[in-house]
Amino acid sequence: MTHNNPIREALRTAALTGEPPAGQVTQAVLREAGRLRFRQRVLAAAAGVATVGVLSAGALAMAGGGQGTPLPPAAQPPATSAAVTSSAQGFVDGMKILQALSGLLPQGVQTGDAQTETGYARVVLIDEVGQSLLEINVQPNFAADAKGGKPDLYRCPEINRPAYVCEQGELSEGVPFAVVQGPTGDQPPTSGVVRRTVAVLQPGRLRVVVSVYNAVDVKHGQPTRAEPALTVAQLKQIAAHPVWRG
Amino acid sequence: MAEDLTTELSAFIDARYVHLRRTAYLLCGDWHRAEDLVQTALARVVVAARRRRVESLDAYTRRTLLRVYLDDSAKVRWRRERSWPEPAETAAPQGDRDVALTVLAALKGLPARQRAVVVLRYWEDRSVEETAEALGVTPGTVKSQSAKAMATLRDKLADLPEKTSTSGGAK
């Protein structure tokens, strides 16, 4: 470490030289936090309404047709997809990701609290078993070449943890995918919390990563159920869905 | 109870804002953008802390600041010049200003994640494991990114004034 001390000193000089005076920001931060929370609540409500709308439409179709055909899990384009931007770039908007995701969830799964940021959406899934956190990351222009053309976020061959499964393959359409299952990898580990993750590299270097946990507070909380709410097959359907291509 | 939490969060912001702003400045090279990054990160931390128990506000804030910075970097990549303006004229001694300019220019040459690794390891003094946890990558990735970044920095900072020269101790 000794040989790095000059770097530390250089960083210190860079940070402290010409530093402008810092104003009082606490109240501004608290106000911004209030606005952020309000936006999240509005978003969660909108996502809930969208889910209820899709479920209601499905229920009406079943009642009207008399065929008893269930909604296919995560197969139909979401009812809100028309509102989603027409370019892949648009899907880095977290709200639009959440909106599109709502239409891809299997029947019987409802949404609770949600949080978004650029490229990401996190939403609590609620079914008859309990709550489960789902995270999705949509990343256009993924630099696949740097990783040998595989959507390998997790470097499967390098992972050597107990109870950890990491596999790669191709979907029937020739779309590469990676599946990771096991403990979250957080340090310190959260007892009993596990995740399932599917990463898919869609045509046009569009990477979609969907993770689901058997907990809501995955870093500090307790598991809310034995298994995450969605299966690997359901995650694959969501991640490989063409809706993300815009 | 909510008032207690707000008081605790306010005290945390008061105590940590200056340091966080310096960290953000080393990441982005612009004091105004650094303030934006820190305030955005702190607002998210406040929201999270009000919703659930956050074990370590420091660690959570560090992770959030990095996430905000990396997201923001992706958005402003196309206008990188704007995101790294020249440091403002100051009354600091000329020698220190030269060092600061050289260091910032060297940092500017690093990819965003390598900058983050350097700042966490050598400014925040975080271990490889803590850095990996904050960035959501493996310790091996941190080591490789750190090695690449240090090689670049040693090369670019070789001509620094004697006070902070990196050449003497480099192995």
Side-chain angles (χ1 to χ4, degrees), chain A residues 153-155 158-159 161 164 185 195, chain B residues 113 117 128-129 131-133 135-145:
Chain A
L153 297 175
Y154 307 98
R155 303 190 177 179
E158 297 175 20
I159 295 177
R161 292 186 205 148
Y164 209 82
R195 71 167 170 184
Chain B
R113 281 193 178 272
V117 168
V128 168
E129 288 72 22
T131 303
E133 198 271 341
L135 286 168
V137 299
T138 64
T141 302
V142 169
K143 287 177 187 170
S144 64
Q145 296 268 298

Side-chain angles (χ1 to χ4, degrees), chain B residues 34-71:
Chain B
E35 287 174 359
D36 285 347
L37 292 175
V38 172
Q39 290 182 29
T40 301
L42 284 171
R44 291 186 188 181
V45 169
V46 169
V47 170
R50 283 176 173 163
R51 184 184 294 169
R52 59 184 164 78
R53 179 174 156 74
V54 173
E55 288 293 331
S56 166
L57 277 176
D58 257 332
Y60 189 80
T61 305
R62 198 179 309 125
R63 280 200 302 274
T64 307
L65 177 61
L66 286 167
R67 201 176 304 140
V68 170
Y69 157 68
L70 291 172
D71 286 349

Side-chain angles (χ1 to χ4, degrees), chain A residues 40-53 80 95 98-99 102 111:
Chain A
Q40 288 175 354
R41 283 182 173 152
V42 169
L43 184 65
V49 167
T51 304
V52 168
T80 53
M95 288 186 71
L98 185 62
Q99 212 175 10
S102 300
T111 55

Side-chain angles (χ1 to χ4, degrees), chain B residues 24 26-29 33 37 41 63-76 84 107 110-116 135:
Chain B
L26 288 176
L27 289 169
C28 72
R33 189 177 160 212
L37 292 175
R63 280 200 302 274
T64 307
L65 177 61
L66 286 167
R67 201 176 304 140
V68 170
Y69 157 68
L70 291 172
D71 286 349
D72 193 60
S73 295
K75 276 189 284 189
V76 300
W84 280 85
L107 286 172
L110 298 175
R113 281 193 178 272
Q114 286 186 22
R115 277 204 300 275
L135 286 168

Side-chain angles (χ1 to χ4, degrees), chain B residues 160-171:
Chain B
L160 270 186
E162 194 174 336
K163 176 184 166 188
T164 53
S165 172
T166 61
S167 56
K171 290 180 182 173

Side-chain angles (χ1 to χ4, degrees), chain A residues 1-4 6-30 32-34 36-37 40 113-118 120 122 154-155 158-159 161 186-187 216-217 219-220, chain B residues 6 10 13-14 17-18 21-22 25-26 31 39 42-44 46-47 50-53 55 63 67 71 75 90 92 96-97 99-100 103-104 107 118 121-123 125 133 141 150 153-154 157 160 163-166 169-171:
Chain A
M1 288 292 287
T2 329
H3 62 285
N4 290 320
I7 295 288
R8 186 171 292 124
E9 179 63 24
L11 291 175
R12 206 181 79 84
T13 305
L16 302 184
T17 301
E19 180 182 21
Q24 176 54 252
V25 299
T26 306
Q27 291 308 314
V29 167
L30 294 177
E32 178 58 24
L36 186 60
R37 182 69 188 125
Q40 288 175 354
D113 275 1
Q115 194 177 20
T116 64
E117 59 188 280
T118 306
Y120 292 87
R122 297 177 188 84
Y154 307 98
R155 303 190 177 179
E158 297 175 20
I159 295 177
R161 292 186 205 148
D186 291 319
Q187 293 297 332
V216 175
D217 180 0
K219 289 192 187 297
H220 309 294
Chain B
T6 299
S10 298
I13 294 167
D14 285 342
Y17 178 71
V18 170
R21 192 177 70 145
R22 288 172 181 163
Y25 174 66
L26 288 176
W31 285 111
Q39 290 182 29
L42 284 171
R44 291 186 188 181
V46 169
V47 170
R50 283 176 173 163
R51 184 184 294 169
R52 59 184 164 78
R53 179 174 156 74
E55 288 293 331
R63 280 200 302 274
R67 201 176 304 140
D71 286 349
K75 276 189 284 189
T90 69
D96 283 352
R97 282 191 53 216
V99 171
V103 173
L104 288 172
L107 286 172
V118 168
R121 294 280 288 122
Y122 303 111
W123 163 256
D125 215 11
E133 198 271 341
T141 302
M150 294 308 288
L153 288 181
R154 281 197 196 102
L157 300 183
L160 270 186
K163 176 184 166 188
T164 53
S165 172
T166 61
K171 290 180 182 173

Side-chain angles (χ1 to χ4, degrees), chain A residues 87-113:
Chain A
S87 73
Q89 183 66 28
F91 278 97
V92 296
D93 182 329
M95 288 186 71
K96 288 175 180 170
I97 292 172
L98 185 62
Q99 212 175 10
L101 174 69
S102 300
L104 298 177
L105 295 173
Q107 191 175 15
V109 176
Q110 298 193 37
T111 55
D113 275 1

